[in-house]
Amino acid sequence: MFDDICGCRLSLTDPEAVSAWNGVVLGILSHGQATGDHLTDLLKRAPDYALAHAMKGLACLMLGRREVVETARESSKKANTLLAQGGATERERLWCIALEDWLAGKPSNAIARMEAAMRLNPADTISMKLSHGIRFIMGDKEGMLRSVKRALPAHGPDHPLYGYSLGCHSFALEENGDYEGAERVGLRGLQFAKDDAWGLHAVTHVYDMTHRTDAGIALIDENTGVWSHCNNFRFHVWWHKALLHLDQRDYETALSLYDTKIRDDKTDDYRDFSNASSLLIRLELEGIDVGDRWVELADLAEKRTDDGCLVFADMHYMLALIGEARPAAAARMTARVTQTAQESDEMAQVMTTPGMSTSQGLEAFGEADYSTAFAHLKVAQPHFQAMGGSHAQRDVFERLTIEAGLRAGRLCDTETLLLERTNLRGGHEDTFAATRMEHLTQLRQMSENSTAAE
């Protein structure tokens, strides 16, 4: 038996298979393009290795696509058959059970299995990363921070994956509002893991949230080696750069990045799709004509109205449906969200709150019924966190809520939302907040003048 790069005992006996597993670990941590190749190699070299099948199934579920759920079930069945033959380590067994839990609609239990694996060996970086990733999907920012803090004492500078642990720590700190700590930890992590796109992106989040656009753009431009090796995560880094240019009102560059980088590969991976649809709606809120760019997104979104794996994904599909003005498809999405909310698993809870109100609000926004849109979105807004994703990603829904409030004339409520949004950013007012507050002041003055004239 061998230990892997995390220092965890494996039931593998073939050193080449161990090397392939280590490639999977490094690939996941770095979001590398070759991750799938390493997993294919591992399954070829060790077809009876239960952990490899569990990894394949978990990776499928993280894709948030209905059509790959069956592949995940097949992987789980295979993993459990292999477990019954004996010889697996406790950590390997926990990973297989985690896949079962998630397939049963209980991703929180899958997280608990990863945490149990970390208790066996706190230096288990890949189990930490899986816990981190599932928590991210579920919007559990506090849990992300608690989890990584438990692992940090076992991840010193002599740990081969130290830099990646700091990248996760940086992101968890940022999502919990410690922007100074996140920047410091993230930049240190990049000194140890020079291909840690997650850590780079964590610091980029800091600069976005604190309105330091020049620093964010420079960080991305000066560290292309950190993320150019990535799988589709590189599109997300380009998206962050576009957001920074948007904050600078450099709309031409944002659109150019959309065409040449963010949407150069027109996939329907929900992560790529969310980059695209959220950027276009942001541009339109600033009065920018995005031309016919909505068409290909709406075509894909129409095919996803029955997906129902993740609220986060569904609401980004909805953005395309209202952006391209496809009310029938938007209505189908809302109806399906409402139907999924009747189920009994953990995702149904999120479909109920905030999914239903968000979907109803977006649908009304697309129909220019801003009073109804604001009424629904204001109910959903305190619960946007449960959708998962990051503050930067969910901010598109914050912006739409605020915009609906302004257009509906709900000035006091909208002002409160604007102030809360700026407070989340440590008091740093970005361009969106500044322009909307200015508009709100103008609307209030107009109302006062109208009242005085009566």
Side-chain angles (χ1 to χ4, degrees):
M1 298 177 77
F2 295 86
D3 290 347
D4 67 9
I5 195 171
C6 302
C8 296
R9 183 55 50 92
L10 304 174
S11 61
L12 291 170
T13 57
D14 175 6
E16 294 298 325
V18 173
S19 178
W21 166 248
N22 285 337
V24 172
V25 171
L26 286 166
I28 291 171
L29 292 171
S30 66
H31 296 260
Q33 292 185 45
T35 309
D37 294 337
H38 289 301
L39 182 56
T40 298
D41 186 35
L42 174 60
L43 287 165
K44 180 180 178 181
R45 294 179 181 278
D48 295 334
Y49 188 43
L51 180 58
H53 295 278
M55 180 72 260
K56 180 180 178 180
L58 289 165
C60 285
L61 294 182
M62 286 190 164
L63 292 174
R65 300 165 67 91
R66 182 64 60 187
E67 67 268 27
V68 298
V69 173
E70 186 55 37
T71 300
R73 292 191 190 283
E74 293 171 1
S75 294
S76 181
K77 183 178 179 180
K78 179 67 173 177
N80 286 332
T81 299
L82 293 169
L83 282 182
Q85 297 175 9
T89 68
E90 179 63 12
R91 179 232 210 172
E92 292 164 353
R93 190 183 70 83
L94 285 166
W95 274 56
C96 295
I97 299 173
L99 174 56
E100 272 192 290
D101 287 332
W102 198 346
L103 284 166
K106 297 181 178 179
S108 61
N109 284 2
I111 291 170
R113 307 301 180 185
M114 293 299 158
E115 296 294 325
M118 290 164 60
R119 286 194 294 274
L120 294 174
N121 183 355
D124 185 358
T125 320
I126 190 61
S127 291
M128 181 198 72
K129 178 70 171 180
L130 265 290
S131 174
H132 188 79
I134 303 171
R135 289 181 189 277
F136 174 69
I137 290 171
M138 296 179 67
D140 182 11
K141 62 178 182 176
E142 296 87 0
M144 280 197 296
L145 188 56
R146 289 195 304 270
S147 177
V148 72
K149 279 185 173 181
R150 283 194 289 268
L152 284 175
H155 285 80
D158 57 339
H159 193 297
L161 305 175
Y162 174 59
Y164 301 108
S165 71
L166 293 184
C168 290
H169 189 205
S170 173
F171 184 74
L173 288 169
E174 182 276 327
E175 288 296 293
N176 283 276
D178 184 354
Y179 302 122
E180 181 180 348
E183 180 182 9
R184 181 181 65 256
V185 170
L187 292 176
R188 176 168 171 77
L190 290 172
Q191 297 175 10
F192 289 85
K194 299 187 183 301
D195 63 351
D196 183 18
W198 190 254
L200 173 90
H201 127 281
V203 181
T204 304
H205 272 267
V206 171
Y207 296 147
D208 180 14
M209 296 293 285
T210 58
H211 192 43
R212 295 163 63 191
T213 55
D214 286 338
I217 291 168
L219 180 74
I220 293 172
D221 286 345
E222 294 169 7
N223 292 276
T224 56
V226 178
W227 52 273
S228 59
H229 71 286
C230 284
N231 51 26
N232 61 332
F233 191 71
R234 69 188 186 279
F235 303 144
H236 186 65
V237 179
W238 284 118
W239 175 79
H240 272 287
K241 189 171 189 290
L243 292 191
L244 294 164
H245 284 288
L246 178 67
D247 198 16
Q248 294 182 340
R249 305 188 192 188
D250 183 0
Y251 307 126
E252 183 178 349
T253 299
L255 273 174
S256 176
L257 287 169
Y258 180 94
D259 292 333
T260 63
K261 301 296 183 183
I262 297 166
R263 206 59 191 155
D264 181 44
D265 187 359
K266 293 177 171 54
T267 79
D268 67 344
D269 184 304
Y270 85 87
R271 296 161 296 189
D272 304 338
F273 194 100
S274 67
N275 296 331
S277 62
S278 67
L279 178 56
L280 289 189
I281 207 82
R282 282 174 167 92
L283 285 161
E284 287 199 334
L285 289 178
E286 301 308 315
I288 305 304
D289 183 359
V290 301
D292 63 356
R293 292 176 177 85
W294 279 120
V295 175
E296 67 99 3
L297 294 180
D299 287 346
L300 292 174
E302 282 214 53
K303 298 174 183 176
R304 289 283 168 192
T305 55
D306 291 328
D307 202 283
C309 282
L310 296 173
V311 172
F312 179 89
D314 286 347
M315 295 307 101
H316 281 86
Y317 299 140
M318 181 66 99
L319 294 182
L321 297 177
I322 66 172
E324 177 57 12
R326 299 194 183 179
R332 287 199 303 274
M333 177 67 83
T334 298
R336 207 267 308 129
V337 169
T338 302
Q339 179 182 4
T340 306
Q342 309 308 311
E343 298 176 6
S344 59
D345 61 13
E346 290 177 358
M347 187 49 62
Q349 298 172 20
V350 185
M351 288 287 180
T352 302
T353 306
M356 289 170 58
S357 294
T358 305
S359 190
Q360 292 164 348
L362 294 179
E363 185 182 354
F365 193 98
E367 296 171 353
D369 182 357
Y370 301 117
S371 292
T372 300
F374 186 69
H376 287 301
L377 290 171
K378 187 173 181 293
V379 169
Q381 187 270 340
H383 310 285
F384 283 159
Q385 178 78 40
M387 285 189 204
S390 66
H391 290 311
Q393 289 175 310
R394 292 187 304 273
D395 187 54
V396 69
F397 304 111
E398 298 279 353
R399 292 181 184 221
L400 284 162
T401 304
I402 289 165
E403 192 69 23
L406 287 173
R407 297 183 187 185
R410 298 288 298 275
L411 303 187
C412 290
D413 287 338
T414 303
E415 182 177 32
T416 298
L417 292 174
L418 276 166
L419 292 173
E420 288 175 352
R421 183 179 176 277
T422 297
N423 185 58
L424 178 66
R425 287 160 168 71
H428 300 277
E429 186 180 60
D430 64 0
T431 301
F432 175 83
T435 56
R436 269 47 181 193
M437 192 63 79
E438 181 181 352
H439 186 203
L440 188 150
T441 301
Q442 292 171 352
L443 290 172
R444 184 169 281 156
Q445 187 62 54
M446 290 170 59
S447 177
E448 291 172 355
N449 291 341
S450 176
T451 300
E454 293 178 355

